[in-house]
Amino acid sequence: MLRLGRREFEAHEPVIMAIVNRTPDSFYDQGATFRDEPALARVEQAVAEGAAIVDIGGVKAGPGDEVTAEEEARRTVGFVAEVRRRFPDVVISVDTWRADVGEAVCEVGADLLNDAWGGVDARLAEVAARYGVGLVCTHAGGAEPRTRPHRVAYDDVMADILRVTVGLAERAAELGVPRESILIDPGHDFGKSTRHSLEATRRLGEMVETGWPVLVSLSNKDFVGETLDKPVKERVVGTLATTAVSAWLGAQVYRVHEVAETRQVLDMVASIAGWRPPAVARRGLA
């Protein structure tokens, strides 16, 4: 059982986390949800299309203009409070590596801290424990926040992913983060080449076997673009193919831009796997 905020999810229940960027320079939407009203409209649409979690981020992952902790908090804290007021049942995640920002958003109602940079600020897990919220433990290959990988190498990329993410998850549990609210993430593209991300996907079942629920953040990433030689706006099909493979291998939470399309993919895979009945089953019965 995965518990986040007011919600509980069964072991085989796929969960969609919708991306809401509070940044003017996000790689995918170039700031479309930087202002409050478009961002709130995005939350409303995502929930209507089947997202159980919204992931709010105030700093783009890649290099760019410096964003201080104060500015990151300015972009996220008030917005989290408003989403909490308007959508009391949605799980609110905040994409941050900074403990100070994590504390500020937990004060106003965040349910989950999505640490995409692999515990670079060790205090963030302490914040999650103190507020009793969930934590995403990600493999970033030791990379500093907002840096791109350069000639990174692993003897065995999945062995390193398991060592780091399970270690972070166990530490979080020891600190007092509820075990049922901890997820692990292989960190596609973070501290990895395209071949590393493809191998991490191919061997995702090894993460699932740890017993920790697995989150994947695949949406329109560079490893998809490089694999298919497609620009950012033409990566949806590749993303959905990777989503289907990840679902078949047992990932549970999917951080995405395209909610409705992802919902159909996850429902189809769940039905093939036998976890979900068809919505309609009239064929051959008339």
Side-chain angles (χ1 to χ4, degrees), residues 67-87:
V67 180
T68 65
E70 292 75 17
E71 174 61 17
E72 183 184 357
R74 188 190 69 80
R75 295 176 180 183
T76 56
V77 175
F79 185 73
V80 168
E82 183 62 15
V83 172
R84 180 81 293 150
R85 185 184 72 81
R86 295 195 189 193
F87 304 92

Side-chain angles (χ1 to χ4, degrees), residues 4 7-8 19 26 37 43-45 65 76 110 113 127 139-140 184 232 239 242 247 258 278 280:
L4 299 170
R7 304 288 298 273
E8 294 185 349
I19 299 166
S26 48
E37 287 311 312
V43 173
E44 184 173 13
Q45 178 186 11
D65 294 340
T76 56
L113 297 175
V127 172
H139 180 272
I184 58 174
V232 170
T239 296
T242 314
E258 285 82 19
V280 178

Side-chain angles (χ1 to χ4, degrees), residues 1-285:
M1 180 73 71
L2 173 64
R3 291 188 175 90
L4 299 170
R6 299 183 181 184
R7 304 288 298 273
E8 294 185 349
F9 306 97
E10 298 294 335
H12 295 288
E13 181 179 356
V15 182
I16 294 177
M17 170 190 274
I19 299 166
V20 183
N21 290 316
R22 303 308 317 283
T23 59
D25 53 356
S26 48
F27 91 99
Y28 187 66
D29 60 27
Q30 289 83 49
T33 53
F34 184 46
R35 294 186 298 109
D36 286 353
E37 287 311 312
L40 287 166
R42 162 68 174 162
V43 173
E44 184 173 13
Q45 178 186 11
V47 171
E49 291 178 346
I53 308 170
V54 293
D55 189 47
I56 299 163
V59 186
K60 67 177 286 189
D65 294 340
E66 180 185 1
V67 180
T68 65
E70 292 75 17
E71 174 61 17
E72 183 184 357
R74 188 190 69 80
R75 295 176 180 183
T76 56
V77 175
F79 185 73
V80 168
E82 183 62 15
V83 172
R84 180 81 293 150
R85 185 184 72 81
R86 295 195 189 193
F87 304 92
D89 295 325
V90 74
V91 177
I92 299 176
S93 169
V94 176
D95 181 354
T96 186
W97 74 88
R98 290 166 164 152
D100 293 345
V101 175
E103 183 145 16
V105 296
C106 286
E107 282 284 346
V108 296
D111 304 302
L112 177 65
L113 297 175
N114 180 12
D115 180 9
W117 289 102
V120 68
D121 185 344
R123 299 175 301 148
L124 190 63
E126 297 170 10
V127 172
R130 188 158 60 250
Y131 285 88
V133 303
L135 182 69
V136 180
C137 300
T138 306
H139 180 272
E144 288 295 315
R146 307 193 67 195
T147 61
R148 297 196 189 281
H150 179 69
R151 299 191 181 279
V152 63
Y154 301 95
D155 291 333
D156 182 329
V157 67
M158 182 50 74
D160 204 70
I161 288 169
L162 293 171
R163 176 184 64 82
V164 171
T165 58
V166 172
L168 289 170
E170 292 291 354
R171 174 180 180 267
E174 289 170 4
L175 287 170
V177 180
R179 293 188 71 92
E180 65 274 17
S181 303
I182 299 172
L183 304 101
I184 58 174
D185 178 354
H188 289 82
D189 275 359
F190 282 59
K192 297 173 188 67
S193 69
T194 288
R195 287 185 172 86
H196 291 143
S197 292
L198 291 171
E199 182 173 352
T201 306
R202 185 164 58 248
R203 297 174 61 185
L204 204 63
E206 294 176 45
M207 295 189 74
V208 175
E209 288 171 3
T210 68
W212 297 103
V214 175
L215 180 151
V216 287
S217 182
L218 311 168
S219 196
N220 303 294
K221 282 194 167 178
D222 284 350
F223 84 96
V224 175
E226 288 194 354
T227 299
L228 301 176
D229 194 17
K230 294 294 183 183
V232 170
K233 294 297 184 180
E234 296 178 24
R235 298 175 183 176
V236 175
V237 173
T239 296
L240 294 176
T242 314
T243 298
V245 171
S246 300
W248 188 257
L249 292 175
Q252 184 166 14
V253 181
Y254 301 80
R255 183 178 181 271
V256 304
H257 296 98
E258 285 82 19
V259 174
E261 294 87 341
T262 303
R263 182 78 271 162
Q264 289 189 45
V265 168
L266 295 177
D267 285 350
M268 193 70 198
V269 172
S271 294
I272 294 169
W275 304 117
R276 172 188 178 273
V280 178
R282 293 189 294 262
R283 182 172 175 80
L285 299 177

